[in-house]
Amino acid sequence: MLTTNEPSFRENVELMFRRAVAHTDLPPGLAEKIQVCNATYTVRFGVRLRGKIETFTGYRSVHSEHMEPVKGGIRYAPEVNQNEVEALAALMTYKCALVETPFGGSKGGLCIDPRNYEVHELEAITRRFAYELAKRDLINPAQNVPAPDMGTSEREMAWIADQYARMNTTDINARACVTGKPLNSGGIKGRVEATGRGVQFALREFFRHPEDVARAHLSGSLAGKRVVVQGLGNVGYHAASFLRAEDDARIIAIIERDGALLSADGLDPDAVRDWIAEHGGVKGFPGAEYVADGPAALETDCDILIPAALEGVINMSNAARINARLIIEAANGPITAGADEILRERQVVIIPDLYANAGGVTVSYFEWVKNLSHIRFGRMQRRNEEAHASLLVRELERLSADRELGWELSPDFKRRYLQGADELTLVRSGLDDTMRTAYQSFAEVWRTRKDVHDLRTAAFIVAIERVADSYRAKGL
Ligand code: GLU
């Protein structure tokens, strides 16, 4: 949250947008059309809870309908407000364009602290909110498809999907009205971990380009890199856990609501998460130093900083003291426009949110396609692939035996080669491909254009040009 006298979140996104637009040659007026938020719906509704009626305020903002449906999560937090929802909806437009998911941008929010309510109360509130949005087509498989965001999860998405289905009993595509659902309600494997997985794939792609890595004053691979993670929610936890377990990165600090844990030897995010679940915070976690001043820990000397919680945590009050070579924005808008400028001057490389956290919406896209096609990915071809692989293996073994060649395929190769791709494998492959392709599209702009000095501007340029192309194709 902003503590300094800086522009609002929406203004910050607009500043970043305008910075990039200056590097394009859009026809007059088109930049303005792309920038503005098309509409924001505010709803106030009452729910009878604990013997009295409680009134809630919710929003669904549609930023750009150059492609439909529009897409974006629903956030549950006490601070939710129109400005924030509009900023997040705008980011969705650019995010979807950048990773080529065929959606416009939208976002929703409900002013609520979910921790204050019982599960059955949250269900009643969510169903009522979903009803209010669905009856105005702000939840609809063809027009507006929400997903989880901060404070919401699979559970809320299942309630929303069911509420929509009850209101649209003959809609065969009802399940595609929302993504991020549990598997048994039409979800897809790999969606829960998708945003964190996307952060990992983004970093892997960055480290495949030594010339880009050098611009962050780093070298080598992800192995051994000192990582600070702020926020151990769904995104931060998965990113940290995968980076540690699969890329040998060292998680030297984890910052949470009640303070931070520091350990030069590295923390295990799984153990920290279990500790938080049991004790309500990080304090007391064995084998690490605890500091109560969480925000100060953002300034820890590290190679990679992963802000994975709220917007505006790196702002003009602390940007000059950030001690990271590379920042990857797993959260939406964690760096204000003012801080962005300070960090740019200090040559800190920033992998921007519209790319870095796009793994969620990418896998949401796969889920939506799955719902519309009414079949799980891999169901038709998996065993056929296995049969083909097995033909080859058997033939090789026969040749070896007949000719006494003594060839032996290693059991590990055989096991892996004989395995047809299941849904999770395909989702990961599609996500990996998306993150690699998108990175290349804007990193190329960063590398080749002398007037573009940072990845954020490069990513915005690519996204804006794609949205502009859609508008042009429509004849606007
Ligand atoms: N809320 C996530 C985001 O900010 C996911 C959106 C989606 O899957 O539609 O990108």
Side-chain angles (χ1 to χ4, degrees):
M1 216 165 310
L2 279 182
T3 47
T4 52
N5 217 359
E6 287 179 69
S8 70
F9 186 11
R10 185 164 55 74
E11 287 161 342
N12 273 306
V13 174
E14 288 172 358
L15 283 168
M16 291 166 178
F17 173 90
R18 284 204 291 275
R19 217 181 111 75
V21 159
H23 297 270
T24 65
D25 52 3
L26 300 192
L30 185 53
E32 166 80 8
K33 171 64 206 82
I34 296 174
Q35 180 188 308
V36 296
C37 185
N38 287 5
T40 301
Y41 173 66
T42 306
V43 61
R44 295 182 188 85
F45 57 89
V47 183
R48 181 174 290 279
L49 299 168
R50 304 174 202 180
K52 73 171 180 53
I53 293 182
E54 204 171 323
T55 303
F56 295 89
T57 305
Y59 305 91
R60 186 78 181 160
S61 176
V62 176
H63 175 260
S64 177
E65 292 148 287
H66 67 287
M67 283 198 189
E68 282 182 312
V70 292
K71 190 93 189 72
I74 292 183
R75 175 173 289 199
Y76 280 8
E79 306 83 19
V80 160
N81 60 71
Q82 181 166 347
N83 186 293
E84 179 190 57
V85 174
E86 290 185 356
L88 292 164
L91 281 175
M92 286 308 302
T93 295
Y94 310 128
K95 194 184 301 191
C96 290
L98 190 62
V99 295
E100 297 179 285
T101 52
F103 303 127
S106 182
K107 202 80 175 202
L110 186 66
C111 304
I112 185 174
D113 187 345
R115 285 170 302 182
N116 297 341
Y117 296 88
E118 308 274 338
V119 174
H120 72 273
E121 294 173 327
L122 282 171
E123 178 174 351
I125 299 162
T126 302
R127 283 185 180 277
R128 183 58 202 267
F129 187 29
Y131 169 80
E132 295 295 335
L133 296 180
K135 79 175 182 198
R136 291 168 181 89
D137 288 333
L138 290 165
I139 297 176
N140 181 303
Q143 287 200 34
N144 198 325
V145 182
D149 199 79
M150 259 175 48
T152 56
S153 66
E154 293 192 321
R155 183 182 67 181
E156 286 74 18
M157 302 308 116
W159 292 331
I160 293 173
D162 186 62
Q163 186 63 35
Y164 180 87
R166 287 185 191 192
M167 294 165 69
N168 298 275
T169 47
T170 56
D171 183 351
I172 194 169
N173 293 321
R175 281 186 153 180
C177 76
V178 64
T179 58
K181 301 178 293 292
L183 214 50
N184 61 17
S185 312
I188 192 166
K189 285 199 175 140
R191 176 60 185 87
V192 175
E193 63 172 56
T195 314
R197 186 62 84 186
V199 171
Q200 176 197 32
F201 287 168
L203 280 172
R204 282 186 179 173
E205 182 56 20
F206 180 82
F207 277 88
R208 277 191 198 103
H209 302 274
E211 69 279 26
D212 298 354
V213 176
R215 287 177 78 167
H217 304 283
L218 291 169
S219 60
S221 69
L222 273 166
K225 291 288 178 291
R226 297 162 308 147
V227 177
V228 171
V229 184
Q230 186 234 0
L232 211 61
N234 183 41
V235 181
Y237 160 71
H238 281 107
S241 176
F242 295 148
L243 287 167
R244 174 180 178 271
E246 297 168 13
D247 298 285
D248 291 326
R250 199 151 32 103
I251 313 298
I252 61 161
I254 290 176
I255 307 167
E256 259 291 318
R257 242 186 276 259
D258 68 320
L261 296 175
L262 309 175
S263 163
D265 296 336
L267 294 154
D268 174 0
D270 292 79
V272 177
R273 191 160 138 124
D274 290 347
W275 183 268
I276 297 172
E278 206 177 317
H279 301 88
V282 293
K283 192 172 176 187
F285 181 78
E289 183 191 343
Y290 168 78
V291 291
D293 187 356
L298 277 170
E299 298 160 22
T300 307
D301 182 18
C302 66
D303 300 313
I304 305 170
L305 172 59
I306 310 183
L310 270 180
E311 55 263 18
V313 291
I314 302 174
N315 49 55
M316 288 175 78
S317 74
N318 61 359
R321 293 192 305 275
I322 295 294
N323 231 328
R325 318 285 171 277
L326 175 67
I327 305 180
I328 178 158
E329 295 183 317
N332 287 308
I335 302 179
T336 64
D340 191 64
E341 199 171 320
I342 297 171
L343 292 164
R344 245 183 291 126
E345 272 161 23
R346 296 183 50 220
Q347 297 183 19
V348 177
V349 172
I350 299 169
I351 303 181
D353 48 8
L354 64 155
Y355 166 67
N357 66 39
V361 75
T362 300
V363 177
S364 275
Y365 169 44
F366 302 154
E367 180 176 333
W368 181 73
V369 171
K370 174 186 180 182
N371 294 152
L372 294 178
S373 57
H374 300 269
I375 188 164
R376 152 167 61 76
F377 289 109
R379 181 159 174 181
M380 300 294 278
Q381 62 273 47
R382 180 177 177 190
R383 303 300 170 192
N384 186 258
E385 274 171 24
E386 289 180 356
H388 267 274
S390 136
L391 260 182
L392 183 68
V393 164
R394 266 185 296 161
E395 188 62 7
L396 281 174
E397 285 173 344
R398 189 191 61 76
L399 275 173
S400 168
D402 283 3
R403 314 254 163 116
E404 293 174 19
L405 296 170
W407 292 349
E408 214 172 299
L409 299 172
S410 77
D412 185 48
F413 168 82
K414 254 175 91 168
R415 186 184 53 78
R416 289 168 58 184
Y417 189 70
L418 288 175
Q419 208 167 63
D422 60 5
E423 185 169 82
L424 184 59
T425 311
L426 291 168
V427 163
R428 285 194 185 149
S429 149
L431 177 59
D432 195 12
D433 182 59
T434 303
M435 297 310 286
R436 286 194 200 199
T437 310
Y439 181 78
Q440 284 156 24
S441 69
F442 69 93
E444 189 58 24
V445 174
W446 183 45
R447 288 185 209 121
T448 54
R449 278 185 60 167
K450 296 274 171 291
D451 58 332
V452 176
H453 306 292
D454 63 300
L455 283 170
R456 189 191 311 281
T457 305
F460 263 99
I461 291 173
V462 171
I464 292 167
E465 277 171 352
R466 289 193 183 148
V467 177
D469 282 346
S470 287
Y471 275 119
R472 283 198 200 98
K474 284 178 196 259
L476 196 81

